[in-house]
């Protein structure tokens, strides 16, 4: 299996690597959806800082594009790309996704009031976290380890 045209490689991509790539794409899509939902909620307020929101959106978009590029490189056997994803998304990314809800929980306690926006954001955040928790171990599964152990193709 060589994958889709976007992830095409000169070598067959093992199932764990393809799973990791798909899970990372799901995580990226959930991140984009959450960013768009937050932006829509911000724009709904009369005191919305549109220029700040535009800058934040541009920075997020650039980060998502870089991560997607690294995911593609990982599917082609890039060992550095795999390490960057493991450290960047598996450590720093997960920490950034979990710090906000945990600090809110510690400061405010458990709030069981649910709104449509909180349910949407929570669901997207959960999908994001779960996708990363699927992708990281998949990159280190036996078939993936063998794939990355061979010399990566350019």
């Amino acid at each position: 299996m060589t994958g889709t045209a976007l992830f095409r490689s000169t070598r067959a991509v093992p199932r764990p690597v393809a799973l990791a790539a798909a899970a990372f794409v799901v995580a990226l899509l959930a991140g984009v959806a959450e960013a768009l939902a937050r932006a829509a909620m911000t724009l709904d307020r009369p005191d919305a800082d549109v220029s700040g929101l535009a800058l934040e959106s541009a920075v997020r978009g650039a980060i998502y594009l870089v991560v997607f590029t690294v995911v593609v490189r990982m599917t082609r056997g890039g060992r550095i790309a795999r390490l960057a994803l493991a450290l960047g998304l598996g450590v720093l990314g997960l920490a950034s996704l979990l710090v906000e809800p945990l600090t809110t929980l510690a400061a405010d306690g458990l709030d069981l009031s649910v709104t449509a926006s909180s349910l949407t954001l929570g669901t997207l955040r959960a999908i994001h976290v779960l996708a990363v928790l699927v992708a990281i171990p998949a990159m280190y599964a036996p078939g993936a380890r063998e794939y990355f152990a061979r010399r990566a193709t350019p």
Side-chain angles (χ1 to χ4, degrees):
M1 167 172 74
T2 58
T4 64
L6 188 57
F7 297 113
R8 191 166 311 273
S9 173
T10 56
R11 302 185 290 167
V13 177
R15 183 165 282 188
V17 175
L19 173 63
F24 279 130
V25 169
V26 167
L28 281 170
L29 291 174
V32 167
E34 183 180 350
L36 290 173
R38 286 187 184 277
M41 288 179 224
T42 299
L43 289 173
D44 210 21
R45 295 193 310 245
D47 62 340
D49 177 16
V50 177
S51 61
L53 184 60
L55 179 61
E56 180 184 334
S57 297
V59 169
R60 283 182 182 273
I63 291 169
Y64 292 145
L65 185 60
V66 167
V67 169
F68 182 75
T69 302
V70 175
V71 169
V72 170
R73 182 67 190 129
M74 182 268 306
T75 63
R76 295 183 179 157
R79 290 178 280 198
I80 299 298
R82 178 175 74 154
L83 180 62
L85 290 167
L87 295 176
L89 297 183
V91 177
L92 298 175
L94 280 178
S96 72
L97 291 171
L98 298 174
V99 164
E100 178 193 354
L102 291 176
T103 55
T104 301
L105 180 64
D108 301 339
L110 186 60
D111 181 9
L112 297 177
S113 62
V114 177
T115 64
S117 60
S118 68
L119 185 61
T120 300
L121 293 175
T123 300
L124 290 170
R125 179 73 55 103
I127 290 168
H128 195 153
V129 168
L130 290 173
V132 172
L133 291 175
V134 166
I136 298 298
M139 288 193 309
Y140 289 91
R145 283 196 311 265
E146 295 163 9
Y147 181 69
F148 291 108
R150 290 184 248 141
R151 182 172 266 290
T153 58

